[in-house]
Amino acid sequence: MTYPLPSTATAQDPAAQGNAPRQPGPASADTGAPIPLSSGPMGTGMSPMRSAATGPAPAWRALAGRARRRVGRRLPPMVVDGLFAATLYVGLSMLARAPLRDDPVPFLALGAGLTAPLVWRRRAPLAVFACIAATAFVQWLLDFQVPADVALLVALYTVAAYCDRRRLMMAFGVLEVGVVLATVSWAMHDRSAGTFVSLSAMAVAAAVFGVNMRSRRDRLAFLEDRAVRLERERDQRAQLAVADERARIAREMHDIVTHNLSVMVALADGAVFAQQRTPERATTAMRQVSATGRQAITDMRRFLGVLRADEPDALRHPMPGIAQLESLVDQVRAAGLPTVLSVAGDPGPVPVAAQLTVYRLVQEALTNTLKHAPAGTSAEVRIGCAPDALTVTVTDDGPGTHPAAADTAHGGAIADGAAASAGHGIPGMRERAAAYGGSLVAGPLPGGGWRVAAVLVLGAPEPM
């Protein structure tokens, strides 16, 4: 394998020097198109620094780069490499007129052997380099110089761009052996050192270009993969946020609608029973039904006002908290469930969102008692306010079973028939407590009755 110098006639021909086209060098990163290297007086190219200094205008370079990328996107890589190899073969064949005129057959055959394998350079970089190196070695044995030896630089660039470092060092070593052979056989004795340095510098430049392009390609692949993963994670977070928001809306709607409807049903039933004996109590009960319905509408508008910023009632009706528990207890008493409320500690420093959670927990627990406990049952609500935690306890003295909640009190499965009635009750209460890093326990008491106990950790981050 050799990297020979061009013939002396070609090197000394001023016309050939003036009309010689720029020789292509290593292929570019994006499309495989060649990186131009200016032809020097020896016809084999010059260093990249000289090429950059005498190259075309930046605007022309940008236009050419865009054209190469456009062609690379529309054509398969092998087609692009085939066009590049054909252009290189024709251009270099026209460059050396004297050898082509004197010995056309070996000149064209060796040029084809050096450039034709470049068609498969990206598919099998090391094999293509070995094939071109073998052809160059045959050329050295025949003592015949052709300018198509520049294909060795393209092959070395491809090995650097697509193979690992060990294979690159092997290919570079083979090329350096060829540089030594070419220098010894064809260089003038007084220019041997300069020829060796020039050829070695071009080999190093081709390898560096290839390594840089491989690093750039790996970096782009990493960034693309990262962008895909980030986009996937963003979509997953958005889906989880939508699911959490739907669950929150479902819990709020359940608490508002179920509680008020349960109170209204209890009041309406009481009004029916009292209609004949005590009409005035029936009238009071129906007025309470009306007040409860208006309260439900207010709660609904308040909730929708939070969802819609342009709703004026969102400003007139603040979210309920511990201070509104007295009104809730009065409403439950009017529905026929005697209830006692006690609040220990100062609820003032408690965050508004935590107070809303306490209100919803008490509301759901009293609604379950109102729906499932028999007549004559009484309830007790105890709220404990501490700097770092809130405790909520709701007990009743009923029989100790709530049909809709018993199956889910300790996380057990519910039957298909009871699933609809269980709704979002106990699971929704647990979710509210878990949002504050707390816990909730619901179940029968040993001596009879039902108890719901929850702990909210105020030091935990508030749920969004």
Side-chain angles (χ1 to χ4, degrees), residues 300-337:
M300 189 70 69
R301 290 178 66 85
R302 180 192 300 118
F303 179 63
L304 295 178
V306 173
L307 296 181
R308 291 168 39 194
D310 58 345
E311 175 62 48
D313 281 350
L315 301 177
R316 293 200 297 265
H317 302 289
M319 300 300 290
I322 297 177
Q324 284 72 38
L325 287 178
E326 190 64 41
S327 300
L328 177 65
V329 169
D330 292 340
Q331 191 180 56
V332 173
R333 289 195 194 103
L337 178 64

Side-chain angles (χ1 to χ4, degrees), residues 80-225:
V80 175
D81 292 338
L83 294 175
F84 169 57
T87 304
L88 186 65
Y89 176 69
V90 173
L92 294 177
S93 298
M94 295 176 62
L95 178 65
R97 298 177 183 177
L100 180 61
R101 183 177 61 252
D102 298 338
D103 299 304
V105 175
F107 181 86
L108 295 177
L110 288 173
L114 290 168
T115 57
L118 294 177
V119 177
W120 298 274
R121 67 184 187 89
R122 277 186 274 191
R123 177 169 293 186
L126 196 61
V128 168
F129 178 84
C131 182
I132 296 176
T135 305
F137 183 69
V138 172
Q139 171 202 351
W140 180 78
L141 293 177
L142 296 176
D143 195 17
F144 196 88
Q145 302 180 44
V146 292
D149 286 323
V150 72
L152 284 165
L153 293 179
V154 179
L156 180 64
Y157 163 84
T158 307
V159 172
Y162 293 95
C163 296
D164 55 29
R165 185 164 297 179
R166 183 176 63 87
R167 290 181 172 85
L168 170 60
M169 297 306 297
M170 292 171 53
F172 184 80
V174 171
L175 184 56
E176 280 298 298
V177 172
V179 168
V180 172
L181 294 177
T183 302
V184 172
S185 299
W186 294 318
M188 298 180 182
H189 294 292
D190 57 343
R191 297 182 180 178
S192 298
T195 301
F196 176 78
V197 171
S198 298
L199 296 179
S200 298
M202 286 189 287
V204 171
V208 170
F209 282 149
V211 171
N212 289 340
M213 293 307 172
R214 182 180 62 187
S215 301
R216 178 186 176 190
R217 186 174 60 251
D218 294 343
R219 176 65 176 172
L220 290 177
F222 169 76
L223 293 177
E224 290 177 359
D225 180 70

Side-chain angles (χ1 to χ4, degrees), residues 262-345:
S262 298
V263 173
M264 293 172 68
V265 168
L267 290 172
D269 290 342
V272 170
F273 286 114
Q275 184 177 8
Q276 299 297 331
R277 297 180 180 179
T278 53
E280 63 280 0
R281 296 188 61 183
T283 301
T284 303
M286 293 309 298
R287 288 176 178 172
Q288 188 64 35
V289 168
S290 176
T292 304
R294 286 193 295 271
Q295 180 64 35
I297 294 174
T298 300
D299 292 342
M300 189 70 69
R301 290 178 66 85
R302 180 192 300 118
F303 179 63
L304 295 178
V306 173
L307 296 181
R308 291 168 39 194
D310 58 345
E311 175 62 48
D313 281 350
L315 301 177
R316 293 200 297 265
H317 302 289
M319 300 300 290
I322 297 177
Q324 284 72 38
L325 287 178
E326 190 64 41
S327 300
L328 177 65
V329 169
D330 292 340
Q331 191 180 56
V332 173
R333 289 195 194 103
L337 178 64
T339 305
V340 177
L341 171 66
S342 62
V343 179

